[in-house]
Amino acid sequence: MQLTINGESRDVDVDPDTPLLWVIREELGLTGTKYGCGIAQCGACTVLVDGYPTRSCQTPAESVTGAEIKTIETVEETETGRRVVEAWVANQVPQCGYCQSGQVLAATALLTETPNPTDEDIEYAMVNLCRCGTYNKIRAAVRDASEA
Amino acid sequence: MTFMQKLLKQAPVNVSRRGFLSGTGALVLSTTLPVRPSKAQEAEAAAGPAVPAFLEIHEDGTAKLLSPFIEGGQGIYTTFAQVVGEELDLAPENFSVEIAPAGPPYDVMGGFRITGGSMSTRTSYELMRQLGASARAMFLEAAAQDWGVDASELTTEPGMVVHEASGRRAGYGELAAVAMDLPVPAEVTLRDPSEFRWIKTPVPRLDVRDKSTGQAKYSIDVEVDGMLLAAVQHAPRLGLTPASVSNLSEIEAMRGVHSVHLLDGAVAVVAGKFWQARRAVEAAEVEWTEGEAQWPMPADFSTDVFRDTLAGKKGEIVEVEAKGDAASALESADTVIEAIYDAPFVVHGQLEPPSATARFNDDGTLEVWTSCQAPEMFQGTAAQVAGLDPSQVSIHSQMLGGFFGRHFLYATSNPFPQAIALAKAVGQPVKLIWTREEDFLRDAPRPLGLARFRGAIGPDGPTALSVEVVGEGPTGRWYDAPVGSDPSATEGISGKSYAIANSHVGQIFHPNPAVIGYWRAVGHSMHDFMYEGFLDEIAGAAGQDPFEMRRALLTDNQRLSTLLEAVGELSGGWQPGPFEAEDGSQRARGIAMASPFGSEAAAIAEVSLDGGEVAVHQVWVAIDPGQIVNPAIVEAQVQSAVALGVSQTLVEELTYEDGEPTARNFDLYPILRPDQMPEVHVRIIESGAPMGGVGEPGLPAVGPAIVNAVATLTGERIRSLPLSKHEFGGA
Ligand code: FES
Ligand code: FES
């Protein structure tokens, strides 16, 4: 099947219900997208599907054949993505880092849609788990990266 | 010789010409081998060829440092770059830091090393300074010889040697070729702490950009040429083993499947892709039979019954510590209170599921890539599994996607023995990934813990305290610490600093059937909750304010007194409440203290009830690690420790029924969500005491501070965690 990942059309030969996560990691070799739970609980596997943060572990590949899929590897190609990464670095957000691809993409999606989020917007959008407890720094970085 | 003295006996040696990087013109320093190396090791060290290096300074002026300790989020690589850079006079951003392989000279803890116990910086601080200072002295000498001046006329600026009289300057990179043939000076002067530029400053972490852009690589991302992928289905109860797979031919015919394997306690599928392997192994219909596990789970094991067993356990009380005569003081006291406290099994829940990649090379050697907190121990076990000598096994420790104690060697809890068996069976490299479900099944949880308290109450507080801690600690299990001398079984109840005239702490051993492990802050993670909760009960019985009573009990302890005042002040002055907050909610605050891993800490937590559940709004922590290297990293570690402390206090509990864990993923075993994270305020105090740990000490006081606040708010004293299993009415 054809998937559009990071602006490129890629042909992959997988069972149609293979989770997008494993297509991205194993067929395309993009390992920035992480496996954490496999049941849509943690958000480590977050990618953007037509701009929406999506848990790729529970997204069958066949359901996104027509969509634009973006992974962490190209996050800095947009102005918002770059701002988010800089805010993550400035706030020294990551600890182990394992959840952070998903966090950065969730923040990028939020700020692309809502450049000046309220605290409630942030709470509603930033729901990925972080076992290292970087939540306060994540919040601070999202505020930093917002426009106001 | 004490452990620390042994460490200090290591000294830098120049190994630039020992073939490790021959011809590259880099200054390469290693250390003398640890105490009493074998003859063979000495001969090898003298002759080369491949002498491992701690520190290399390259012609381009950059430095590479091999860290004995693995990075898993605690910032150890940055910390080491700061310490070496300080003495070498090279800015930390010029360093790249990589994990050192198993074996000498990196076994800096005296023949081994583990990344744990909040020990990394503590055990290596002096050695790292020596390395940096020695290299700097050698660059000075190199320039002196080159310029025909005396080294004493020279000084350094970051990355450069400078001769002020003539204005000559040379970068370290240019001098490396000369320096590599110089002897290491016998003595070097370390920089005076008042002149530190990087140590004690919030130097940015070296790994943050890679971790913010998906570039950091973990064990799960390892790729080696020609590898196959594997997934396993473990027996639902530890101790069972596969007898047969009834639909074997169906499984073998599934897409991508290479082969199906019956392992000890698990069925494995090897396939071209992980997803194919996982799908196939989950389709396997396995008939399980009793196997020969060293720690089989009893088929009727349940956590509820186990807790009751511990609560009623009689038996020998092995003394851990004693002061005065607690027994008679309790006997003659007018008022005695008693309570039983317990804390559940908890999983590590590191976000990266366990994985391991194994490859046998043509020369018979074995390489293993995995998450690992104890490389020498993994090397030994890998050699055993493969039937090789440890010298034929390389362990490539990978950056950890969280650890918290998950990646020590725990019998059935590590995937690498299975990966080795599979690689051997298929004759190709194999990467094995455990799903989160398999991780829950085979994690080495923190043991369920229980303690029985009795306190004699005088008008000013406790006159006697007697505690029986019942159960087994991981250090007893894995390192043969005898009952009564296993800190992991009692720490946080033993080792407290309050001036109670008569006190007795004893351990009653009761074996834990689970494969128990170390969890962040180990025994402290639960025992401080128990002790500090009971201390508040004593305050209540004596009609004392819990903060004031602690103050009185700590008058002779300067460090803890300072912290108590500091955390009170940080929170705007002690106010237990209940009081009404700005948002109209009723709130209360609790206080607790802990003395973990060579550091001291005090915490205040502010809570309210939200729909019958406890919400933690703020946590204030004052922490004294003696001395620190990087305040930003310490602050981040405290934030992280508080998060885990709040998480286990509010929601975490692994229960077993019929010998099986009832949760297999984060759906039935919740961990702290972002909206449950309190604001965290940290004050770091450097008392100048010997350097203590940082990764864990922020955790133990958090739970009891929360529970004490809940008691003030609701009048309910919680003696069994987590709070989510209790119903709170009102407020
Ligand atoms: S791996 Fe997809 S949500 Fe956890
Ligand atoms: S940084 Fe480790 S899980 Fe978020």
Side-chain angles (χ1 to χ4, degrees), chain B residues 450-689:
Chain B
L450 181 139
R452 305 189 291 235
F453 290 79
R454 295 180 72 214
I457 315 295
D460 304 325
T463 55
L465 176 68
S466 168
V467 194
E468 296 161 8
V469 190
V470 190
E472 181 184 5
T475 304
R477 171 74 61 93
W478 302 111
Y479 301 94
D480 297 323
V483 177
S485 307
D486 171 2
S488 70
T490 59
E491 62 196 1
I493 288 174
S494 55
K496 300 295 280 190
S497 302
Y498 300 109
I500 300 173
N502 306 289
S503 71
H504 187 274
V505 176
Q507 184 189 355
I508 301 178
F509 180 81
H510 185 85
N512 193 314
V515 172
I516 54 174
Y518 294 89
W519 195 84
R520 196 173 191 169
V522 196
H524 285 285
S525 69
M526 53 184 173
H527 296 136
D528 282 294
F529 144 69
M530 301 173 185
Y531 188 107
E532 295 282 322
F534 191 69
L535 198 64
D536 262 37
E537 293 198 63
I538 291 175
Q544 295 273 317
D545 173 82
F547 191 95
E548 295 303 333
M549 189 180 85
R550 282 179 177 77
R551 183 183 265 159
L553 291 173
L554 290 169
T555 37
D556 293 335
N557 187 309
Q558 189 57 49
R559 282 178 85 184
L560 281 172
S561 294
T562 304
L563 286 180
L564 185 66
E565 301 309 326
V567 77
E569 189 186 293
L570 187 64
S571 67
W574 169 243
Q575 47 159 155
F579 54 86
E580 189 176 307
E582 262 174 39
D583 65 359
S585 63
Q586 281 295 309
R587 298 190 184 182
R589 294 182 182 179
I591 169 90
M593 314 196 71
S595 307
F597 307 103
S599 293
E600 309 277 356
I604 291 177
E606 179 178 304
V607 306
S608 72
L609 288 183
D610 184 4
E613 281 178 17
V614 173
V616 184
H617 299 276
Q618 316 224 47
V619 173
W620 295 269
V621 177
I623 184 164
D624 171 12
Q627 320 165 38
I628 63 160
V629 174
N630 186 322
I633 287 178
V634 173
E635 209 258 5
Q637 280 290 287
V638 173
Q639 285 267 353
S640 172
V642 168
L644 210 59
V646 175
S647 187
Q648 67 141 346
T649 305
L650 292 188
V651 294
E652 290 187 42
E653 173 182 34
L654 184 69
T655 54
Y656 289 83
E657 288 298 338
D658 303 323
E660 300 177 13
T662 57
R664 302 282 302 273
N665 207 322
F666 297 129
D667 51 351
L668 297 181
Y669 182 105
I671 60 174
L672 194 76
R673 299 185 312 257
D675 61 306
Q676 294 170 309
M677 180 75 190
E679 280 178 42
V680 179
H681 317 267
V682 183
R683 179 171 298 171
I684 301 164
I685 289 173
E686 290 186 87
S687 60

Side-chain angles (χ1 to χ4, degrees), chain A residues 21 34-46 55-58:
Chain A
L21 167 66
K34 298 303 189 206
Y35 164 62
C37 70
I39 58 166
Q41 289 283 320
C42 74
C45 64
T46 302
R55 293 186 166 180
S56 62
C57 67
Q58 285 289 326

Side-chain angles (χ1 to χ4, degrees), chain A residues 26 34 92 96 131 135 139, chain B residues 205 221 274 652 672 674:
Chain A
E26 299 209 280
K34 298 303 189 206
Q92 299 274 297
C96 85
R131 186 57 161 167
Y135 297 133
R139 255 175 248 162
Chain B
R205 289 180 49 149
D221 304 320
F274 174 70
E652 290 187 42
L672 194 76

Side-chain angles (χ1 to χ4, degrees), chain B residues 11-343:
Chain B
V13 291
N14 184 353
V15 296
S16 304
R17 292 290 183 197
R18 300 262 182 88
F20 187 70
L21 279 169
S22 51
T24 60
L27 171 62
V28 185
L29 293 188
S30 186
T31 62
T32 48
L33 292 167
V35 218
R36 292 211 280 124
S38 69
K39 281 280 168 272
Q41 278 178 322
E42 272 176 26
E44 205 179 284
V51 173
F54 254 114
L55 175 65
E56 302 168 10
I57 295 118
H58 304 138
E59 280 171 317
D60 65 0
T62 62
K64 180 168 122 183
L65 185 66
L66 283 158
S67 166
F69 301 108
I70 189 74
E71 177 64 57
Q74 79 282 41
I76 191 65
Y77 287 2
T78 309
T79 301
F80 279 163
Q82 268 177 277
V83 175
V84 176
E86 185 71 64
E87 296 293 346
L88 172 59
D89 207 353
L90 183 68
E93 68 257 27
N94 295 310
F95 282 81
S96 66
V97 186
E98 291 172 16
I99 184 65
Y106 309 107
D107 41 4
V108 294
M109 296 168 81
F112 80 113
R113 43 52 207 261
I114 51 169
T115 304
S118 298
M119 294 284 270
S120 304
T121 312
R122 291 198 269 167
T123 51
S124 315
Y125 183 63
E126 291 302 327
L127 177 64
M128 291 290 158
R129 291 182 69 190
Q130 291 281 347
L131 273 174
S134 302
R136 176 175 177 272
M138 291 165 78
F139 285 125
L140 287 171
E141 185 55 34
Q145 290 186 6
D146 204 25
W147 300 340
V149 298
D150 195 84
S152 63
E153 293 172 36
L154 302 174
T155 174
T156 59
E157 285 174 10
M160 307 240 127
V161 177
V162 181
H163 185 230
E164 277 185 17
S166 68
R168 286 189 78 164
R169 319 162 67 79
Y172 287 169
E174 299 163 53
L175 295 166
V178 181
M180 61 191 278
D181 286 322
L182 297 175
V184 178
E187 281 204 7
V188 289
T189 324
L190 297 179
R191 191 174 279 272
D192 190 276
S194 65
E195 290 170 12
F196 283 165
R197 287 88 24 96
W198 294 299
I199 293 179
K200 298 190 193 298
T201 68
V203 168
R205 289 180 49 149
L206 302 173
D207 53 0
V208 154
R209 185 169 293 273
D210 277 356
K211 287 177 171 178
S212 303
T213 51
Q215 297 305 307
K217 293 272 183 280
Y218 304 83
S219 173
I220 202 169
D221 304 320
V222 165
E223 194 171 343
V224 304
D225 278 349
M227 74 179 183
L228 292 170
L229 276 294
V232 290
Q233 182 189 150
H234 283 108
R237 175 167 64 77
L238 186 58
L240 296 175
T241 202
S244 62
V245 175
S246 62
N247 57 345
L248 185 62
S249 49
E250 251 170 70
I251 303 299
E252 286 171 337
M254 284 176 76
R255 182 169 185 186
V257 171
H258 173 281
S259 48
V260 181
H261 305 260
L262 302 193
L263 306 176
D264 183 16
V267 172
V269 171
V270 177
K273 297 280 156 57
F274 174 70
W275 180 250
Q276 296 165 337
R278 175 183 183 170
R279 172 177 291 190
V281 85
E282 282 178 358
E285 287 162 16
V286 186
E287 197 200 321
W288 302 102
T289 176
E290 287 301 330
E292 294 185 346
Q294 194 179 357
W295 286 286
M297 262 298 194
D300 60 352
F301 181 77
S302 91
T303 27
D304 282 350
V305 172
F306 186 63
R307 190 215 157 271
D308 292 346
T309 306
L310 296 186
K313 171 88 179 181
K314 303 268 181 283
E316 190 196 351
I317 303 169
V318 182
E319 184 172 295
V320 178
E321 59 183 36
K323 198 167 56 172
D325 185 349
S328 347
L330 279 158
E331 187 89 0
S332 59
D334 288 339
T335 313
V336 172
I337 62 169
E338 299 187 10
I340 296 180
Y341 278 75
D342 66 84

Side-chain angles (χ1 to χ4, degrees), chain B residues 371-519:
Chain B
S371 317
C372 169
Q373 289 179 250
E376 287 76 19
M377 295 171 76
F378 277 45
Q379 188 183 38
T381 299
Q384 232 168 36
V385 174
L388 297 173
D389 187 81
S391 64
Q392 296 171 285
V393 179
S394 309
I395 302 289
H396 306 288
S397 303
Q398 302 297 305
M399 172 101 71
L400 305 171
F403 56 120
F404 323 119
R406 175 66 181 86
H407 301 299
F408 291 115
L409 185 67
Y410 302 119
T412 43
S413 296
N414 312 99
F416 73 91
Q418 293 175 344
I420 294 169
L422 293 170
K424 198 168 191 177
V426 302
Q428 264 176 275
V430 169
K431 173 158 89 177
L432 166 67
I433 302 172
W434 282 5
T435 60
R436 178 61 60 190
E437 288 78 6
E438 300 306 316
D439 183 38
F440 264 73
L441 263 190
R442 288 293 175 274
D443 190 8
R446 180 188 73 187
L448 188 156
L450 181 139
R452 305 189 291 235
F453 290 79
R454 295 180 72 214
I457 315 295
D460 304 325
T463 55
L465 176 68
S466 168
V467 194
E468 296 161 8
V469 190
V470 190
E472 181 184 5
T475 304
R477 171 74 61 93
W478 302 111
Y479 301 94
D480 297 323
V483 177
S485 307
D486 171 2
S488 70
T490 59
E491 62 196 1
I493 288 174
S494 55
K496 300 295 280 190
S497 302
Y498 300 109
I500 300 173
N502 306 289
S503 71
H504 187 274
V505 176
Q507 184 189 355
I508 301 178
F509 180 81
H510 185 85
N512 193 314
V515 172
I516 54 174
Y518 294 89
W519 195 84

